[in-house]
């Protein structure tokens, strides 16, 4: 008889294409995965994997069994989801992915609130970029993804993904005190030719949004400094080495020595919680969304005031309903 636990491990091996990838996804050791594979082969009576260079590949029998394993794994996940919803219980594992710009500002508060209000919930958090996080969500490696969507470059969502907008906020231009546009609010982006910029790494949503925005205003950006963390970008702004565009929620508390200005044309960014459509009503995901709304509200209230140094500005627009 084929044991489900071993079939579950094999499904992850087939998905990742390696013992090491499966071990990382399952949070176990490589030898433990290999041991489960060997036992499954004895139960099935056939070879399921074979050496391929330094890795492995599925045999013909392995491909057949992998299809059944994936179907069974999806059915078990659906059953767990429906049972949890039936009892309205906020418990069990909750795998969250998030863009880096939201982690420092939001997740310490969010995780603390969930621990107090729902002690049987076991959240884990992984940072990454939208291009990697959304496929992981669809593949059931993650249960929810916190991502960003810029007004002039909306996030492209795959089929089967549902989003809830948590907050929409202005994006601000950050310049050093004494900069040539420091007293202009809003600051005209079309007059920033020749500036050195700090931004997120190439290929990320903030980077691509910045390039698209500046080129639309006839400015070819010189992006010399690339950091996923907005706080590091602002350290360079404060030192007079660069300018940057930053969402307010990502830079609390705002640093001294930096002026924050509205942009002309205006830029906005939404923080969006993405889930699989069939999972959106799960109690754990509703609890996560509620905690994120509270945390984003607090972060917005502490964000920089356009036209000044550090200060308080009115809360950004939150979605109705």
């Amino acid at each position: 008889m084929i044991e489900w636990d071993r079939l579950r491990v094999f499904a992850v091996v087939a998905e990742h294409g390696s013992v090491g990838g499966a071990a990382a996804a399952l949070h176990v050791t490589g030898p433990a995965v290999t041991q489960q594979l060997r036992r499954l082969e004895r139960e099935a009576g056939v070879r399921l994997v074979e050496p391929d260079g330094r890795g492995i590949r599925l045999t013909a029998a392995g491909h057949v069994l992998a299809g059944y394993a994936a179907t069974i794994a999806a059915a078990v996940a659906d059953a767990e989801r429906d049972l949890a919803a039936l009892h309205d219980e906020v418990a069990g594992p909750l795998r969250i992915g998030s863009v880096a710009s939201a982690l420092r500002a939001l997740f310490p508060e969010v995780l603390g609130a969930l621990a107090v209000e729902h002690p049987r919930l076991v959240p884990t958090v992984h940072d990454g970029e939208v291009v990697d996080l959304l496929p992981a969500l669809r593949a059931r490696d993650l249960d929810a993804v916190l991502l960003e969507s810029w007004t002039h470059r909306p996030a492209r969502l795959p089929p089967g993904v549902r989003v809830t907008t948590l907050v929409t906020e202005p994006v601000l231009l950050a310049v050093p005190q004494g900069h040539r546009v420091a007293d202009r609010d809003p600051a005209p982006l079309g007059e920033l030719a020749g500036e050195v910029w700090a931004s997120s790494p190439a290929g990320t949503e903030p980077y691509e949004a910045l390039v698209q925005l500046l080129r639309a205003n006839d400015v070819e950006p010189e992006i010399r400094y690339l950091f996923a963390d907005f706080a590091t970008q602002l350290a360079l702004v404060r030192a007079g080495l660069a300018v940057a565009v930053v969402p307010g929620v990502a830079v609390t508390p705002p640093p001294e020595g930096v002026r924050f200005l509205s942009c002309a044309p205006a830029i906005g960014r939404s923080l969006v919680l993405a889930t699989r459509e069939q999972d959106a009503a799960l109690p754990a995901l509703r609890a996560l969304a509620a905690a994120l709304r509270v945390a984003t509200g607090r972060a917005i209230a502490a964000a920089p005031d356009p036209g000044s140094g550090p200060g308080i500005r009115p809360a950004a627009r939150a979605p109705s309903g």
Side-chain angles (χ1 to χ4, degrees):
M1 178 182 295
I2 295 177
E3 294 288 340
W4 159 241
D5 282 345
R6 284 188 269 284
L7 193 61
R8 178 176 65 88
V9 171
F10 179 64
V12 179
V13 171
E15 178 184 349
H16 289 271
S18 71
V19 169
L26 294 167
H27 305 289
V28 298
T29 65
V33 171
T34 300
Q35 185 180 56
Q36 291 284 57
L37 286 177
R38 295 292 172 258
R39 290 178 176 175
L40 180 61
E41 288 179 328
R42 288 197 294 270
E43 291 171 352
V46 292
R47 288 287 299 275
L48 299 173
V49 297
E50 59 188 8
D52 183 22
R54 294 186 177 181
I56 60 171
R57 63 183 176 188
L58 301 184
T59 64
H63 281 289
V64 171
L65 187 59
Y68 286 106
T71 299
I72 295 169
V76 170
D78 289 342
E80 291 174 342
R81 180 196 71 233
D82 292 343
L83 287 172
L86 181 65
H87 295 287
D88 203 31
E89 183 179 19
V90 182
L94 179 62
R95 301 162 300 173
I96 307 165
S98 174
V99 293
S101 61
L103 287 173
R104 183 175 61 89
L106 300 179
F107 272 94
E109 178 177 344
V110 167
L111 296 176
L114 291 176
V116 171
E117 297 172 17
H118 308 290
R120 296 188 62 192
L121 189 66
V122 185
T124 56
V125 183
H126 306 273
D127 70 338
E129 298 301 334
V130 174
V131 67
D132 300 314
L133 295 175
L134 286 178
L137 176 68
R138 295 191 69 201
R140 296 183 175 274
D141 291 330
L142 294 172
D143 300 308
V145 170
L146 183 62
L147 56 89
E148 53 192 349
S149 182
W150 296 65
T151 51
H152 59 287
R153 184 184 166 85
R156 294 181 291 274
L157 300 172
V161 171
R162 176 177 173 178
V163 296
T164 300
T165 300
L166 301 170
V167 69
T168 299
E169 59 172 339
V171 173
L172 307 177
L173 175 68
V175 300
Q177 294 283 5
H179 189 275
R180 59 187 175 89
V181 301
D183 294 325
R184 302 179 64 180
D185 190 29
L189 297 180
E191 297 182 18
L192 294 175
E195 295 288 343
V196 173
W197 291 83
S199 182
S200 299
T204 63
E205 295 299 309
Y207 177 95
E208 300 300 335
L210 174 63
V211 170
Q212 182 174 318
L213 179 70
L214 291 178
R215 286 177 176 169
N217 286 272
D218 299 319
V219 173
E220 185 61 32
E222 182 183 353
I223 305 176
R224 193 178 298 176
Y225 307 114
L226 301 174
F227 301 98
D229 182 20
F230 283 112
T232 304
Q233 296 176 32
L234 289 178
L236 296 179
V237 174
R238 181 181 181 183
L241 297 172
V243 298
V245 289
V246 293
V249 76
V251 292
T252 53
E256 298 289 342
V258 177
R259 294 274 288 178
F260 296 94
L261 308 168
S262 302
C263 298
I267 319 171
R269 182 192 79 155
S270 297
L271 285 177
V272 174
L273 184 65
T275 61
R276 292 180 294 275
E277 285 183 350
Q278 66 268 33
D279 295 345
L282 286 178
L285 293 174
R286 294 203 307 268
L288 173 62
L292 281 168
R293 285 194 182 95
V294 172
T296 52
R298 293 184 192 277
I300 286 291
D305 179 20
S308 70
I312 304 298
R313 64 182 171 92
R317 178 173 62 85
S320 59

